[in-house]
Structures are given as C-alpha cells and as structure tokens.
Amino acid sequence: MTEGDWRDGEFRQRRPSAETLAWVAASMGRGSRVVGHRRLTGGVCSAVNRLTVERRGTRTFVVLRQYPGGLGLHGALEQEIANLGVMAGSGLPVPGVLAGDVAGVSTGGAPSLLMTRLPGHVHLDPAEPRSWMTRIAEIAVLLHSLDLPAKVLRPWTDSWIAPRDGFQIPAGAQKPEIWQAAFDAMAAPPPQDTAVFLHGDLLPVNMLWSRGRITGLTDWNSIRRGSRAIDVGHCRRYLAALYSPDWSEQLQSLYESIAGVTLDPWWDLYALLHYADSGPKWIRGQVAGRRPVDVSGMTSRVEVAVETALRRLG
C-alpha cells in the first residue's frame, strides 16, 4: 500500500452495494432489512458506513467497514477480526464483530466487516484541552496495563511502520540538522524496555467521546507488544502536528504522572519520527472538517517536538 494510490480513489465515498446490504440483512437475522445508511468520514484506508437495520419493529445501528477488492487486503481484515476477538474480554469500549466476509464473496468482492456501533463521536476541538488530554492519558495507561494474551502478539519491530533506515527529512523542515541528528540517534540498538500491550494507532481520531468521557476505541488493526512510549509517542506526534508541541509535551507529562513511570526517550523519539510529507494530507482527511487544520505549520510543529525529545535523549 503506497501513498497516493488507491486511498485517493472514490471507494471511500461509495455507498454500499445492494449485494452488500443484502448480506448485512442476512447477517442480522431472519426478517432484517437495512432501512438507512450514513457514510462516516475520517477514514483513509476503508469505506465506513453506519447502517440502520430494522427487525421486528426494532431499529439497530451497526457499522460496516469495507476495503476495495482485488488489492490483497483480505489478510488485513482477517487480522482485524482476530484482534477484535482478543479485545472482546478486555473491558475496554471496543466494537464487537457481528459478521465478516473476508473474501468478499457476498459483498461484490469487497472484504467486509460488520460491527456493533459504539456510542459517542470523534471530538477534536476540546474547550478544556488539559481535561481532554487527561482522559486520553488515562485510557492509554489502562490499555497498557491489560493482561491479555499479548505474549502471542508480534513485537512492534515487526510492524508495517517504516524501519529505522526508512526515515526521511521532511521537505518542509526548517532545521534539517535536527532531523538528521535524530535519525543518527536511531542508529543505536533499541534499548530494552518493558513490553506492554499496544494499540498501535492510538490517535484522537480513533477515540469516541460522550459527555467528557471516552466511550469508544476504534481501528484495531495494529495491536502489538512493545514499549509504552510507542503508543504515547504516536499520539504525541499527532497532537504536535494538529495542535501544538506544548500539547504533545502535556500528554507525556500526564501519562507519566498517572502511570507512575518515565517513558523511554529513545522509543518516544522513534515514534515521533514516523512523520512524512504526506502526513498533513492524511491528517486533514481524518479531521474531516471537525476543526480548523493548519496544514502549512504541521512540519514545523512536529520538528519542535522532535527537537525537544532529542534533547531529552541526550
């Protein structure tokens, strides 16, 4: 999956096919029918729709995720279904699997996943940022404390995320020497750190909120084991890009205070460096109009976070 290819197409805007809707109705039980649908915005890799299913006079909301057919993405969907199975007993607010058609046999060739709908909405414009970040830090600490069968999960170093030799200085860098110094620091062997259960994509756009609480965590494609600083660092990078480096630093401070640990500075920097020139484009798509987005300033804000983290590493 390369940047600027199928994710730029119209698949994510396409309404579910009649074949797909028939599969959904059959999956929801005899006498069910789909009576409404609404495309959910913010995704970059799949088409996501909220469907209204009516059965015996009762209406239920469900969520349908579909990937384009013919691109070999069925393996990713299989992994997501398996990951949701792992999370089912976690106590965290995660969607439940209702049905899956990995091969797209009944959905026009599009690998499909039908899930329960979680309450809440994506909340990206908080009136009280510190309280908002505190809730994020709290759920991250809870996630990392889970005693799930994480020992069978692959380590973070097996992730699809760019390897250390794949880092590149962003075209908009104001201080290229900072990025190069950070890349040089990554040449050292990764330090040993306690491996915990990781979400792998713990970003504000993957959290649902209601009345000041996080009511849902979504996008369970990337669970791994590794340093807790990876999850927090990825979220910090997002906060720096979308808001400010100060918010990024606050999240780290809040997490360390709540967890009673100090995040490993090498792994934190490693996560921050997973930023590319395409980042602003995808972030703007994920935000989907939920708040103003300063695309031109993203690289410089992340650069400040990288410089601060580099100083912390020493």
Side-chain angles (χ1 to χ4, degrees):
M1 289 181 281
T2 58
E3 302 293 353
D5 53 6
W6 60 272
R7 288 177 289 186
D8 287 321
E10 298 179 355
F11 180 84
R12 287 178 291 120
Q13 282 73 45
R14 191 185 69 178
R15 64 178 296 168
S17 66
E19 189 177 6
T20 294
L21 297 180
W23 171 76
V24 170
S27 300
M28 293 297 292
R30 183 185 297 276
S32 298
R33 61 191 185 102
V34 179
V35 296
H37 84 279
R38 175 187 175 189
R39 183 172 62 86
L40 300 181
T41 59
V44 297
C45 295
S46 61
V48 183
N49 283 270
R50 188 192 73 183
L51 306 179
T52 306
V53 179
E54 185 176 77
R55 186 187 186 204
R56 297 174 182 172
T58 300
R59 293 192 171 188
T60 304
F61 290 127
V62 295
V63 173
L64 172 70
R65 182 202 290 274
Q66 291 190 292
Y67 293 95
L71 295 177
L73 300 174
H74 59 277
L77 185 57
E78 285 181 335
Q79 186 62 57
E80 182 175 5
I81 292 172
N83 290 350
L84 287 172
V86 170
M87 298 307 302
S90 68
L92 288 177
V94 301
V97 175
L98 296 172
D101 186 350
V102 172
V105 173
S106 300
T107 55
S112 303
L113 172 60
L114 189 65
M115 299 173 284
T116 58
R117 174 185 174 268
L118 298 173
H121 61 278
V122 176
H123 178 35
L124 300 178
D125 200 12
E128 300 180 2
R130 186 173 180 83
S131 174
W132 181 78
M133 285 185 284
T134 298
R135 302 290 86 76
I136 294 176
E138 288 173 343
I139 203 156
V141 171
L142 177 59
L143 174 73
H144 297 157
S145 70
L146 292 178
D147 184 18
L148 292 172
K151 292 182 180 179
V152 304
L153 298 176
R154 291 182 293 169
W156 177 261
T157 48
D158 290 341
S159 170
W160 60 269
I161 294 293
R164 286 181 286 156
D165 60 5
F167 291 128
Q168 293 184 348
I169 297 174
Q174 297 182 2
K175 298 180 180 179
E177 68 277 8
I178 293 298
W179 294 89
Q180 189 57 58
F183 298 160
D184 292 343
M186 294 294 97
Q192 293 293 321
D193 194 18
T194 302
V196 300
F197 189 90
L198 300 176
H199 180 280
D201 204 18
L202 194 66
L203 306 178
V205 290
N206 290 331
M207 301 174 187
L208 301 177
W209 295 75
S210 179
R211 298 183 180 182
R213 297 185 303 108
I214 296 177
T215 54
L217 291 176
T218 63
D219 279 9
W220 292 92
N221 297 295
S222 307
I223 59 176
R224 293 288 193 278
R225 279 180 63 78
S227 169
R228 65 184 71 225
I230 294 170
D231 261 354
V232 181
H234 275 290
C235 193
R236 285 185 0 89
R237 184 189 68 244
Y238 209 91
L239 293 184
L242 187 55
Y243 302 99
S244 76
D246 288 341
W247 285 34
S248 178
E249 287 297 300
Q250 284 188 58
L251 180 67
Q252 175 166 345
S253 177
L254 287 166
Y255 181 95
E256 291 180 336
S257 176
I258 294 167
V261 300
T262 298
L263 293 171
D264 186 282
W266 192 97
W267 287 107
D268 175 59
L269 181 59
Y270 169 81
L272 287 173
L273 289 175
H274 287 89
Y275 178 84
D277 291 323
S278 59
K281 168 188 173 181
W282 298 120
I283 290 175
R284 181 171 57 187
Q286 291 170 329
V287 172
R290 296 182 178 100
R291 62 159 284 118
V293 179
D294 173 23
V295 170
S296 63
M298 282 190 186
T299 298
S300 61
R301 291 192 294 273
V302 174
E303 187 175 277
V304 171
V306 167
E307 185 173 13
T308 302
L310 185 60
R311 286 199 302 266
R312 199 153 37 227
L313 181 60

